[in-house]
Short mmCIF file of all heavy atoms in Angstrom, two decimals:
data_model
loop_
_atom_site.label_atom_id
_atom_site.label_comp_id
_atom_site.label_asym_id
_atom_site.label_seq_id
_atom_site.Cartn_x
_atom_site.Cartn_y
_atom_site.Cartn_z
N ALA A 1 9.84 -11.04 67.88
CA ALA A 1 9.46 -12.18 67.03
C ALA A 1 10.58 -13.19 66.89
O ALA A 1 10.31 -14.39 66.73
CB ALA A 1 9.04 -11.66 65.66
N HIS A 2 11.83 -12.76 66.94
CA HIS A 2 12.92 -13.71 66.77
C HIS A 2 12.97 -14.71 67.92
O HIS A 2 13.29 -15.89 67.74
CB HIS A 2 14.25 -12.96 66.64
CG HIS A 2 14.30 -12.07 65.44
ND1 HIS A 2 13.89 -10.76 65.49
CD2 HIS A 2 14.66 -12.32 64.16
CE1 HIS A 2 14.02 -10.23 64.28
NE2 HIS A 2 14.48 -11.15 63.46
N SER A 3 12.66 -14.25 69.12
CA SER A 3 12.61 -15.16 70.26
C SER A 3 11.40 -16.09 70.19
O SER A 3 11.47 -17.24 70.64
CB SER A 3 12.59 -14.37 71.58
OG SER A 3 13.82 -13.69 71.78
N TRP A 4 10.31 -15.61 69.59
CA TRP A 4 9.16 -16.47 69.36
C TRP A 4 9.53 -17.59 68.39
O TRP A 4 9.03 -18.71 68.51
CB TRP A 4 7.97 -15.67 68.85
CG TRP A 4 7.26 -14.92 69.94
CD1 TRP A 4 7.72 -13.84 70.63
CD2 TRP A 4 5.97 -15.22 70.48
NE1 TRP A 4 6.79 -13.44 71.55
CE2 TRP A 4 5.70 -14.26 71.49
CE3 TRP A 4 5.01 -16.18 70.20
CZ2 TRP A 4 4.51 -14.26 72.22
CZ3 TRP A 4 3.82 -16.16 70.93
CH2 TRP A 4 3.58 -15.22 71.92
N LEU A 5 10.39 -17.28 67.43
CA LEU A 5 10.89 -18.32 66.54
C LEU A 5 11.65 -19.37 67.33
O LEU A 5 11.48 -20.58 67.12
CB LEU A 5 11.81 -17.71 65.47
CG LEU A 5 12.58 -18.70 64.58
CD1 LEU A 5 11.62 -19.58 63.79
CD2 LEU A 5 13.52 -17.95 63.64
N ASP A 6 12.48 -18.94 68.28
CA ASP A 6 13.20 -19.89 69.13
C ASP A 6 12.23 -20.79 69.88
O ASP A 6 12.45 -22.00 70.00
CB ASP A 6 14.07 -19.13 70.14
CG ASP A 6 15.15 -18.30 69.49
OD1 ASP A 6 15.51 -18.58 68.34
OD2 ASP A 6 15.64 -17.35 70.15
N LEU A 7 11.17 -20.19 70.41
CA LEU A 7 10.16 -20.99 71.11
C LEU A 7 9.55 -22.03 70.17
O LEU A 7 9.34 -23.19 70.56
CB LEU A 7 9.07 -20.09 71.68
CG LEU A 7 7.87 -20.79 72.31
CD1 LEU A 7 8.28 -21.65 73.49
CD2 LEU A 7 6.81 -19.77 72.73
N GLY A 8 9.27 -21.62 68.93
CA GLY A 8 8.71 -22.56 67.96
C GLY A 8 9.64 -23.72 67.68
O GLY A 8 9.19 -24.87 67.53
N LEU A 9 10.95 -23.46 67.61
CA LEU A 9 11.90 -24.54 67.40
C LEU A 9 11.87 -25.52 68.57
O LEU A 9 11.94 -26.74 68.39
CB LEU A 9 13.31 -23.96 67.24
CG LEU A 9 13.54 -23.10 65.99
CD1 LEU A 9 14.89 -22.39 66.08
CD2 LEU A 9 13.47 -23.96 64.74
N PHE A 10 11.74 -24.99 69.77
CA PHE A 10 11.65 -25.84 70.96
C PHE A 10 10.38 -26.68 70.93
O PHE A 10 10.41 -27.90 71.20
CB PHE A 10 11.70 -24.98 72.22
CG PHE A 10 11.44 -25.75 73.48
CD1 PHE A 10 12.42 -26.57 74.03
CD2 PHE A 10 10.22 -25.66 74.14
CE1 PHE A 10 12.18 -27.29 75.19
CE2 PHE A 10 9.98 -26.37 75.30
CZ PHE A 10 10.97 -27.19 75.83
N VAL A 11 9.24 -26.06 70.60
CA VAL A 11 7.97 -26.79 70.54
C VAL A 11 8.05 -27.92 69.52
O VAL A 11 7.59 -29.05 69.77
CB VAL A 11 6.81 -25.82 70.21
CG1 VAL A 11 5.53 -26.59 69.90
CG2 VAL A 11 6.59 -24.85 71.36
N GLN A 12 8.66 -27.65 68.36
CA GLN A 12 8.82 -28.71 67.36
C GLN A 12 9.70 -29.83 67.90
O GLN A 12 9.42 -31.02 67.70
CB GLN A 12 9.44 -28.13 66.08
CG GLN A 12 9.75 -29.16 65.01
CD GLN A 12 8.52 -29.68 64.28
OE1 GLN A 12 7.40 -29.30 64.59
NE2 GLN A 12 8.72 -30.56 63.33
N ASN A 13 10.75 -29.49 68.62
CA ASN A 13 11.62 -30.51 69.22
C ASN A 13 10.84 -31.39 70.18
O ASN A 13 11.08 -32.60 70.27
CB ASN A 13 12.80 -29.85 69.94
CG ASN A 13 14.02 -29.72 69.07
OD1 ASN A 13 13.95 -29.90 67.85
ND2 ASN A 13 15.15 -29.38 69.68
N VAL A 14 9.92 -30.79 70.94
CA VAL A 14 9.10 -31.58 71.86
C VAL A 14 8.31 -32.62 71.09
O VAL A 14 8.24 -33.80 71.48
CB VAL A 14 8.16 -30.67 72.67
CG1 VAL A 14 7.17 -31.50 73.49
CG2 VAL A 14 8.96 -29.76 73.60
N MET A 15 7.71 -32.22 69.98
CA MET A 15 6.92 -33.16 69.19
C MET A 15 7.78 -34.26 68.60
O MET A 15 7.38 -35.43 68.54
CB MET A 15 6.16 -32.41 68.10
CG MET A 15 5.08 -31.50 68.64
SD MET A 15 4.03 -30.76 67.36
CE MET A 15 5.15 -29.53 66.69
N ILE A 16 8.98 -33.91 68.15
CA ILE A 16 9.87 -34.92 67.57
C ILE A 16 10.32 -35.91 68.64
O ILE A 16 10.30 -37.13 68.43
CB ILE A 16 11.10 -34.25 66.92
CG1 ILE A 16 10.67 -33.39 65.73
CG2 ILE A 16 12.12 -35.28 66.47
CD1 ILE A 16 11.77 -32.50 65.19
N ALA A 17 10.73 -35.39 69.80
CA ALA A 17 11.19 -36.26 70.87
C ALA A 17 10.07 -37.17 71.37
O ALA A 17 10.29 -38.35 71.67
CB ALA A 17 11.76 -35.43 72.02
N ALA A 18 8.85 -36.65 71.43
CA ALA A 18 7.72 -37.47 71.84
C ALA A 18 7.43 -38.54 70.78
O ALA A 18 7.25 -39.72 71.10
CB ALA A 18 6.49 -36.60 72.06
N GLY A 19 7.42 -38.13 69.51
CA GLY A 19 7.15 -39.08 68.44
C GLY A 19 8.16 -40.20 68.38
O GLY A 19 7.82 -41.36 68.07
N ALA A 20 9.41 -39.92 68.69
CA ALA A 20 10.45 -40.95 68.70
C ALA A 20 10.19 -42.00 69.76
O ALA A 20 10.69 -43.12 69.68
CB ALA A 20 11.82 -40.31 68.92
N ARG A 21 9.39 -41.65 70.76
CA ARG A 21 9.04 -42.57 71.84
C ARG A 21 7.65 -43.17 71.65
O ARG A 21 7.11 -43.80 72.57
CB ARG A 21 9.11 -41.82 73.19
CG ARG A 21 10.54 -41.46 73.58
CD ARG A 21 10.57 -40.41 74.68
NE ARG A 21 11.92 -40.21 75.19
CZ ARG A 21 12.86 -39.48 74.59
NH1 ARG A 21 12.58 -38.89 73.42
NH2 ARG A 21 14.05 -39.35 75.11
N GLY A 22 7.05 -42.95 70.48
CA GLY A 22 5.73 -43.50 70.21
C GLY A 22 4.60 -42.73 70.87
O GLY A 22 3.49 -43.24 71.00
N ILE A 23 4.88 -41.49 71.28
CA ILE A 23 3.89 -40.67 71.98
C ILE A 23 3.38 -39.60 71.02
O ILE A 23 4.16 -38.91 70.38
CB ILE A 23 4.51 -40.03 73.23
CG1 ILE A 23 4.91 -41.13 74.22
CG2 ILE A 23 3.54 -39.05 73.88
CD1 ILE A 23 5.69 -40.62 75.42
N ALA A 24 2.06 -39.49 70.93
CA ALA A 24 1.43 -38.55 70.01
C ALA A 24 1.26 -37.18 70.65
O ALA A 24 1.23 -37.04 71.88
CB ALA A 24 0.07 -39.09 69.57
N THR A 25 1.14 -36.16 69.81
CA THR A 25 0.98 -34.78 70.29
C THR A 25 0.03 -34.01 69.38
O THR A 25 -0.26 -34.43 68.26
CB THR A 25 2.34 -34.03 70.31
OG1 THR A 25 2.93 -34.11 69.01
CG2 THR A 25 3.29 -34.63 71.35
#
């Protein structure tokens, strides 16, 4: 589960980086 948490942090980063470029997710 701890590694799944790491994956979740990465997924959230994807959404933030996309949003900063005006791209929706």
Side-chain angles (χ1 to χ4, degrees):
H2 298 90
S3 293
W4 281 70
L5 171 62
D6 297 339
L7 174 61
L9 294 170
F10 173 76
V11 170
Q12 176 74 359
N13 267 12
V14 172
M15 292 187 286
I16 295 170
R21 291 164 172 79
I23 296 173
T25 55

